[in-house]
Amino acid sequence: MSEDDRPPVLGSWRALYALVLGTLAVLIVLFAGLSSVYR
Amino acid sequence: MRLLDWAVLLGTLVAIVGWGLWRERGVKSAEAYLRGRGDLRWWAIGLSVMATQASAITYLSLPGQAYEDGMGFIQFYFGLPIAMVLLSAVALPIYYRLRVHTAYEYLETRFDRKTRQLTALLFLLSRGLAAGVSIYAPAIVLSAVLGWPLQATNLAIGTVVVLYTVSGGTRIVSRTQTWQMVVMAGGMIAAAGFLLSQLPDGLSLNQAAHVAGALGKMQVVDLSARLDTRYTLWSGLAGGLFVQLAYFGTDQSQVQRYLGGQDLTQSRLGLLMNGLVKVPMQFLILGIGVLLLVFHQFHEPPVFFDEVQWSRAHQGAKADEARAVDLAWDAAFERKRARVEELVLAVKHDDAAAVESAKAALRQAAAESSAVRERAKSLVPFKDADHIFIGFVVSHFPAGLLGLFLAVVLCAAMSALAAALDALGTTTMVDFYRPIFGASSDRRELVVAKLCTVGWGVLAVLFAVFAAQIDNLIQAVNILGSIFYGPMLGVFLVGFFLKRVRGTPVFLATLLAQAAVVAVFALSSIGFLWYNVIGCATLVGAALVLNRAVPARVQG
């Protein structure tokens, strides 16, 4: 086992981390939109 | 319960537990009992981690929370994906490099034994108490559905889960959790689908959301910066990040799940899967509560959701007042329903002015309705928030779906409680028994480890007996965790990032930070998510100061 193992998708751990954080950002924007529309 | 419900319930539980027992029938060493075999793939780790966090309380209490307070609770989970990334990048490589059984073993490597054992003790306190609440939540369901006495139900659930956990240790817990999580997700999707099918014909999701919004339940994100507001974007991102970091990084019930992974890559992927799926999953569960609220705008709900307690109120000294409340509730419901139908019509005609006017009228009617409900609450010395969803399930779910929902609740109870008892037993064994009594034979260690699991199970059942006095179960568990998690996380953060700080200053800082959080809890109205930030920041600050003040010769 190596600590520098590459993930099986997206090529690097940084890219996977960006995917997780980017998804969170999109969800928060969507939820803020819902809050605004259905006040 | 009908025959089909029993078949679905028992079939699901027996299949999962039977499969787990058959797969893990070879666990005969202390090492396999405590750590597993280290062969779990990322999807199994991800499902196991999610199943550990999603206790029965999640499915009983969360829809009721959304019904009463709206969707804002989702913000509590905003810190989770960030925590998954940080733990994957920082904590996991360290735990794997040291090949630890528990997270607290790392603290002896980094600091000293007393710091390790103090932190492990904080874990035992917080998780041991929370395990009791985990038993009580499904006991409510079974006592409501089957009419069993609540305390006997507590005892029965606790006994079954203890026997199940002791039979296979860490590995059976993780293995069965993968299927339990599949059942939980499938059951809640089916419940959401059924609720949608029960809304009035022609009512669109958009119209339903307008009704929920007018009632103040669609405030998903709150941008205000008030410290005394429990759930805001900021408390979710900051406080939520701290509590999720502490929970997943330092709570052994979670650490034990991903340390059983095949390798570092599989464990990282498992945590990141949790980071992607968790927020949408919680949104679905909260959404079920809001859908139920919309349903109850067209079908009159009980004024008090614990119908057993409410019928008792009709037999006591306040019977006349209870009957008056019933009459007032019927009238308030009819007035509110008329306002709801006006709003739906205005939305249908896309008339903005009429929509605003109808919303204002609905809010007025809802306030009158709430006042009647408050009168009902004042007549009963028990809270009913956790009866909101289960009351609907029992009275409306069709044959088969009721059994599936009960399977969801019991799967969740088994998975969370088994993980907690497994971790409590492992921590007692690894962080206290072995350091105090030294190494002994594998057979003796296996027996002691199993006795530790049983001991914690007994304590959890005893605590469950007193949980009936708690208002909302999921909040109670989260508040309890937040009291201890801040200092626990602080110890690990100092260990990871402040290399010059040594054992004794951290040990003293932990005591100070824990006292500070308890004082904030007892003396202030600050939202509980901030306890994690306060506890962690106090510990880090105190450790830095004490590291300079305490002479090097007495530092650990």
Side-chain angles (χ1 to χ4, degrees), chain B residues 508-551:
Chain B
L508 295 173
T510 306
L511 295 174
L512 274 173
Q514 193 57 70
V517 176
V518 170
V520 169
F521 169 67
L523 305 173
S524 80
S525 60
I526 292 174
F528 77 84
L529 282 177
W530 294 107
Y531 298 171
N532 302 282
V533 183
I534 292 166
C536 186
T538 305
L539 188 139
V540 173
L544 285 170
V545 171
L546 289 167
N547 200 54
R548 286 179 174 273
V550 177

Side-chain angles (χ1 to χ4, degrees), chain B residues 140-192:
Chain B
I140 297 174
V141 182
L142 292 187
S143 62
V145 174
L146 304 174
W148 291 356
L150 187 59
Q151 303 306 1
T153 311
N154 278 329
L155 188 63
I157 292 173
T159 304
V160 169
V161 174
V162 167
L163 291 175
Y164 157 72
T165 307
V166 166
S167 68
T170 296
R171 199 172 149 88
I172 195 171
V173 172
S174 296
R175 283 289 184 195
T176 49
Q177 279 180 326
T178 57
W179 288 108
Q180 286 164 341
M181 193 62 228
V182 169
V183 170
M184 288 182 235
M188 292 315 277
I189 290 169

Side-chain angles (χ1 to χ4, degrees), chain A residues 1 24 27-28 31:
Chain A
M1 184 273 294
L24 172 66
L27 285 172
I28 290 174
F31 293 155

Side-chain angles (χ1 to χ4, degrees), chain B residues 203-358:
Chain B
L203 184 76
S204 68
L205 260 184
N206 179 44
Q207 291 158 357
H210 271 290
V211 171
L215 296 170
K217 311 302 181 187
M218 290 298 288
Q219 187 69 32
V220 191
V221 174
D222 181 350
L223 296 171
S224 70
R226 292 168 59 98
L227 280 179
D228 57 351
T229 300
R230 189 164 272 175
Y231 306 114
T232 67
L233 176 64
W234 317 114
S235 73
L237 284 173
L241 169 62
F242 275 75
V243 75
Q244 305 293 354
L245 269 179
Y247 175 54
F248 286 96
T250 74
D251 188 312
Q252 180 62 18
S253 66
Q254 281 294 356
V255 174
Q256 199 155 2
R257 307 277 68 78
Y258 55 75
L259 287 186
Q262 194 175 71
D263 55 30
L264 177 60
T265 299
Q266 298 299 322
S267 294
R268 276 175 159 164
L269 289 172
L271 283 188
L272 295 179
M273 170 187 162
N274 186 36
L276 279 172
V277 175
K278 187 72 184 184
V279 174
M281 194 180 83
Q282 298 307 102
F283 187 82
L284 169 75
I285 299 170
L286 287 167
I288 287 173
V290 171
L291 280 176
L292 179 57
L293 179 85
V294 174
F295 174 84
H296 277 162
Q297 304 312 305
F298 299 93
H299 303 84
E300 186 177 342
V303 64
F304 194 81
F305 287 93
D306 186 340
E307 296 194 20
V308 173
Q309 294 299 336
W310 187 238
S311 67
R312 281 183 189 155
H314 282 75
Q315 294 157 7
K318 296 175 181 172
D320 289 342
E321 171 69 3
R323 279 190 286 275
V325 166
D326 281 335
L327 289 174
W329 180 249
D330 293 343
F333 171 76
E334 290 304 330
R335 284 195 294 275
K336 183 156 61 86
R337 179 175 170 161
R339 303 287 88 78
V340 169
E341 286 175 353
E342 285 170 11
L343 174 58
V344 170
L345 205 61
V347 173
K348 199 174 283 183
H349 291 152
D350 202 17
D351 182 341
V355 167
E356 287 310 312
S357 165

Side-chain angles (χ1 to χ4, degrees), chain B residues 19-33 36-37 167-169 171-172 442 446 450:
Chain B
W19 178 81
L21 289 169
W22 178 74
R23 282 291 304 264
E24 308 306 331
R25 59 194 180 279
V27 177
K28 290 188 173 62
S29 72
E31 184 66 11
Y33 183 84
R37 292 179 191 153
S167 68
R171 199 172 149 88
I172 195 171
D442 188 73
L446 181 61
K450 290 190 173 191

Side-chain angles (χ1 to χ4, degrees), chain A residues 1-9 13 16-17 19-21 23-24 27-28 31-32 34-35 37-39, chain B residues 78 81-82 85 88-89 93 97 206 209-210 213 218-221 263-265 268-269 276 279 283 359 363:
Chain A
M1 184 273 294
S2 161
E3 285 178 20
D4 298 323
D5 278 352
R6 286 160 67 90
V9 290
W13 288 109
L16 261 180
Y17 297 156
L19 172 70
V20 173
L21 298 178
T23 303
L24 172 66
L27 285 172
I28 290 174
F31 293 155
L34 277 178
S35 306
V37 170
Y38 296 113
R39 275 186 299 187
Chain B
F78 284 172
I82 307 169
V85 167
S88 296
R97 190 169 61 242
N206 179 44
H210 271 290
M218 290 298 288
Q219 187 69 32
V220 191
V221 174
D263 55 30
L264 177 60
T265 299
R268 276 175 159 164
L269 289 172
L276 279 172
V279 174
F283 187 82
K359 280 184 176 176
R363 287 190 190 107

Side-chain angles (χ1 to χ4, degrees), chain B residues 368-391:
Chain B
E368 291 169 11
S369 192
S370 294
V372 177
R373 187 160 143 68
E374 289 306 315
R375 281 172 62 194
K377 286 180 178 176
S378 71
L379 298 178
V380 182
F382 294 96
K383 306 294 183 180
D384 68 342
D386 295 313
H387 289 256
I388 292 173
F389 187 48
I390 188 61

